[in-house]
Amino acid sequence: MVAAPQPDRFIGMRITPITRRRLQNFRANARGFWSMWIFLVLFGLSLFAELIANDKPLLVRFDGSFYVPVAVAYPETAFGGEFETEADYRDPFVQDLIVEKGWMIWPLIPFSYRTINYDLPVPAPAPPSAVNWLGTDDQGRDVTARLIYGFRISVLFGLVLTLISSVIGVTAGAVQGYFGGWTDLLFQRFMEVWSGLPTLYLLIILASFVEPSFWWLLGIMLLFSWMSLVGVVRAEFLRARNFDYVRAARALGVSNAVIMYRHVLPNAMVASLTFLPFILSGSITTLTALDFLGFGLPPGSPSLGEMLQQGKSNLQAPWLGITAFVVLAVMLTLLIFTFEAVRDAFDPRKGIASGPVAAEKTAPSSAPRPAGEPAE
């Protein structure tokens, strides 16, 4: 008696044969696969930046009790000091009080992005040393710590902006292309007017009386970035809405929303994924450019653009511009390689990776093709 085949699973979830094929094609692209893992490791470490680079100890043992300064603010009096304000753990007086009755465990980098090193042997910006691995900026702040925090902000800004703008853009393009007629005409005229607005001038004007923040910049950029995918998705839906399987679905009484989502959208995914790397890299470089020009995040925020601006203003300190450029270049390269592999994995015209799935592809089959699956 032959046992029934086990269903395909990925991280505990059941997947379809098409999804299995896409995963195998993604793994077959070694450059994109390893770029994804390298990026995930770097991004994962930056998410715990407070545990890697901080001017507060991770753990303090004092007078028989444990304290977690990295998560809880303790007054100086808790360690035998004189002030009710939060303890400054870099103060030699506070350190002596703690060491006298206990010990401290510091992060790998004992500086936060805003910590000023007052013990520099030379005027700031100081060159790399055993204390400040990549040197300091022109205010005496540790460059390594600011790069870790700046990397996290840049990636989060780019990912959130790309995700939200892509959802809005794909939805708008799908509605335009599928329904056509006056719906398409009115949407196109609106986009022509909206895309003509000068984004940079609006940011400069608004920044003159509103202090920019992460979410403020995200909202302003979202007002214009959603149009990037509309044209591509619209063209795919205009082409596919008259295909036989779409007409058959309509004849069977399938709703327009189901047809758009389950049958037409998968065919437009490849074209959409082709532009995603450029949208993501454009979002990150937009934030970097705004910070470089002084219209981005508030002063003092960890930013790659602000680091590049300091490198431009302090040519005698090349470590500022070089480190920010290298981090930005590596980040964008890893993201582009990863999304390139994702795009190839979703492309139905690409060959299937070697393995059981390839054997299934070469085997003859008389089963009809599902309406929503694109032709190979």
Side-chain angles (χ1 to χ4, degrees):
M1 183 176 181
V2 179
Q6 295 296 322
D8 294 324
R9 291 189 176 273
F10 178 72
I11 58 175
M13 298 182 297
R14 293 190 61 176
I15 59 175
T16 63
I18 296 178
T19 304
R20 180 181 61 178
R21 180 192 68 183
R22 291 168 177 170
L23 290 173
Q24 289 197 355
N25 283 341
F26 180 74
R27 293 192 187 101
N29 190 323
R31 183 176 64 183
F33 181 74
W34 288 110
S35 295
M36 179 197 69
W37 281 111
I38 295 173
F39 173 78
L40 288 179
V41 169
L42 295 176
F43 182 51
L45 290 175
S46 69
L47 290 178
F48 299 94
E50 286 78 8
L51 303 179
I52 300 174
N54 208 319
D55 56 0
K56 300 176 182 178
L58 300 175
L59 184 66
V60 172
R61 171 78 171 182
F62 179 79
D63 200 16
S65 301
F66 287 98
Y67 300 87
V68 189
V70 72
V72 182
Y74 300 103
E76 187 178 303
T77 54
F79 306 108
E82 301 175 353
F83 300 103
E84 294 287 344
T85 56
E86 184 177 359
D88 181 8
Y89 299 95
R90 295 187 57 82
D91 187 348
F93 175 72
V94 176
Q95 293 182 2
D96 293 339
L97 289 175
I98 296 176
V99 173
E100 184 179 351
K101 296 184 179 181
W103 41 262
M104 295 183 293
I105 298 179
W106 283 91
L108 184 64
I109 302 171
F111 300 96
S112 182
Y113 67 88
R114 59 179 178 269
T115 307
I116 299 176
N117 187 359
Y118 293 101
D119 301 323
L120 292 174
V122 296
S129 63
V131 178
N132 303 106
W133 298 347
L134 296 177
T136 67
D137 61 8
D138 55 5
Q139 299 183 33
R141 298 170 299 192
D142 187 72
V143 172
T144 308
R146 294 186 65 80
L147 286 178
I148 295 174
Y149 284 89
F151 179 88
R152 179 175 66 180
I153 290 180
S154 298
V155 173
L156 287 176
F157 183 88
L159 289 177
V160 173
L161 180 59
T162 301
L163 177 62
I164 299 177
S165 62
S166 297
V167 171
I168 298 175
V170 168
T171 304
V175 171
Q176 284 186 241
Y178 184 79
F179 292 103
W182 279 101
T183 303
D184 184 28
L185 181 63
L186 293 177
F187 258 111
Q188 285 296 100
R189 302 293 80 77
F190 169 77
M191 288 181 54
E192 289 176 1
V193 175
W194 194 250
S195 61
L197 297 178
T199 309
L200 181 59
Y201 289 160
L202 287 176
L203 286 170
I204 294 174
I205 294 172
L206 292 174
S208 63
F209 58 89
V210 178
E211 182 181 12
S213 64
F214 180 90
W215 297 108
W216 187 87
L217 288 173
L218 186 66
I220 294 297
M221 297 306 302
L222 184 60
L223 291 176
F224 301 94
S225 62
W226 62 271
M227 293 181 288
S228 303
L229 285 177
V230 172
V232 180
V233 178
R234 171 179 171 270
E236 291 293 327
F237 271 74
L238 281 172
R239 182 178 63 89
R241 66 174 182 167
N242 293 321
F243 283 175
D244 291 339
Y245 66 84
V246 175
R247 293 180 176 179
R250 285 178 183 153
L252 292 173
V254 181
S255 64
N256 289 328
V258 174
I259 295 175
M260 293 167 63
Y261 178 73
R262 297 195 60 181
H263 300 292
V264 184
L265 182 60
N267 291 325
M269 284 299 295
V270 176
S272 303
L273 290 172
T274 302
F275 283 85
L276 276 185
F278 305 104
I279 298 176
L280 180 57
S281 59
S283 302
I284 295 175
T285 52
T286 297
L287 178 63
T288 303
L290 289 175
D291 290 331
F292 181 84
L293 296 174
F295 301 111
L297 298 173
S301 301
S303 167
L304 299 179
E306 190 257 355
M307 192 75 66
L308 290 173
Q309 172 61 34
Q310 289 201 25
K312 171 180 171 292
S313 303
N314 300 275
L315 297 179
Q316 78 281 5
W319 56 87
L320 294 175
I322 291 176
T323 51
F325 171 78
V326 170
V327 170
L328 188 62
V330 170
M331 178 203 313
L332 296 179
T333 302
L334 293 176
L335 287 172
I336 288 177
F337 285 166
T338 301
F339 275 94
E340 183 184 58
V342 173
R343 178 201 63 193
D344 292 344
F346 275 83
D347 192 347
R349 295 166 295 184
K350 293 288 182 180
I352 302 177
S354 60
V357 183
E360 293 178 9
K361 178 178 169 63
T362 56
S365 176
S366 59
R369 179 171 58 88
E373 182 182 354
E376 299 292 345

